[in-house]
Amino acid sequence: MTRERRGLIIVYTGDGKGKTTAALGLALRAVGAGLRVWMLQFIKGDWKPGELKGAQLLAPNFSMVQLGIGFVTYKPKRPFEEHVEAANKAWEQAKAEMASGRQDILILDEINNAFRFNLLTAAEVVEVLRTKPEALHVVLTGRGAPPEIIALADLVTEMKAVKHPYDQGIPAQRGIDF
Ligand code: ATP
Ligand code: MG
């Protein structure tokens, strides 16, 4: 096999822990290999997970932005329309980054949740990904990846929950869960 650069569409989905952290692990490896990574977190945005500071330690080759406005369905603090607006703005920024040629990898973290909550349609994202720059790798994470996204992807891994500390009543741990 020749080592030609072939941009992949990678999906981490499923109900087990490890989707976002798999994307972060990939980012760490990629930055070490000299690639530039841009990560966008949909949905989240009203708290600061550890990866936001961790990403800064890998700047400028790793940049992360959070453009969500918090929980959509669970005790939402903001009306649904504002979530739709935030998700669409985030998607616009992702498209701009995709077109800029500045990045080697784009991570669209929790985008599957944006589909599940009807903030964005999978069809519009698929349409853009079909014409993405050839060499660009794109990673999509979140539970419940829709069939159109799975059909388009080159690599799909489904995280399966076998055990999670939460089931024993152990709260989320800083540095492990956020
Ligand atoms: P991580 O960011 O840890 O890789 P994830 O991206 O796979 O997790 P998300 O659905 O984005 O999972 O949820 C993130 C948070 O939910 C994390 O704090 C994670 O520990 C927790 N979580 C993930 N899977 C489960 C589960 N099966 N039961 C309870 N909590 C979970
Ligand atoms: Mg996640």
Side-chain angles (χ1 to χ4, degrees), residues 28-44:
L28 177 66
R29 172 178 286 168
V31 167
L35 303 186
R36 295 182 64 105
V37 184
W38 185 82
M39 179 162 174
L40 164 65
Q41 290 192 320
F42 283 87
I43 313 288
K44 290 176 185 168

Side-chain angles (χ1 to χ4, degrees), residues 18-21 41 44 51 109-110 113 141-143:
K19 301 172 289 292
T20 296
T21 46
Q41 290 192 320
K44 290 176 185 168
E51 59 261 35
D109 188 38
E110 315 295 346
N113 298 308
T141 88
R143 296 177 183 217

Side-chain angles (χ1 to χ4, degrees), residues 93-157:
Q93 195 166 325
K95 283 193 282 189
E97 214 54 53
M98 199 179 296
S100 74
R102 278 192 293 264
Q103 310 300 341
D104 298 295
I105 302 184
L106 236 61
I107 300 174
L108 306 175
D109 188 38
E110 315 295 346
I111 193 170
N112 292 331
N113 298 308
F115 301 140
R116 278 202 300 145
F117 298 141
N118 299 312
L119 304 181
L120 275 184
T121 69
E124 64 188 306
V125 171
V126 164
E127 192 186 315
V128 170
L129 290 181
R130 278 193 203 290
T131 58
K132 71 168 183 61
E134 183 77 31
L136 181 75
H137 303 290
V138 181
V139 181
L140 302 96
T141 88
R143 296 177 183 217
E148 306 93 298
I149 294 288
I150 290 177
L152 181 71
D154 300 293
L155 189 166
V156 180
T157 298

